[in-house]
Amino acid sequence: MIWLAVYDIEDDGERAKAAAILQAWGFVRVQRSFYVGKLPRGRAANLLRVLAKYVKSGHVALIPVADSALDGALELGKPPYAPLKPPRYKQIYVV
């Protein structure tokens, strides 16, 4: 399952630790406080427990994205992470 991880953490040390933990768990940074990754549901709960050891202030949210929701996802340009879904067709460039 795809998970979105977002946080609002004021403390620099806690924010850096949260970023390092997310990246160690295979999440890729999309923007400063927004990550995307793949985990089974039970592993996401484990990730939140690990984050809770280091993030004492601020807010962290792990948001599941059902595979069925990905069918309706629209993307423009090349993402800085692996595509969320495989393309169903070849891209055609018109000049």
Side-chain angles (χ1 to χ4, degrees):
M1 175 176 281
I2 297 289
W3 289 83
L4 307 179
V6 293
Y7 57 73
D8 182 14
I9 304 170
E10 287 188 33
D11 182 89
D12 292 341
E14 289 182 16
R15 189 173 52 250
K17 188 66 177 175
I21 290 169
L22 288 168
Q23 290 172 347
W25 279 63
F27 280 69
V28 177
R29 178 176 264 157
V30 177
Q31 291 188 356
R32 285 184 182 225
S33 60
F34 175 45
Y35 291 76
V36 64
K38 285 186 177 183
L39 290 175
R41 182 173 287 278
R43 296 279 293 155
N46 293 342
L47 171 56
L48 197 59
R49 280 193 284 279
V50 170
L51 287 164
K53 292 178 185 177
Y54 300 97
V55 177
K56 303 298 181 192
S57 62
H59 176 257
V60 178
L62 296 178
I63 305 162
V65 179
D67 292 338
S68 61
L70 291 178
D71 290 338
L74 302 174
E75 294 183 67
L76 174 65
K78 184 176 180 185
Y81 51 87
L84 297 179
K85 58 183 180 179
R88 293 186 208 160
Y89 54 88
K90 276 189 165 178
Q91 290 183 339
I92 300 172
Y93 296 97
V94 178
V95 186

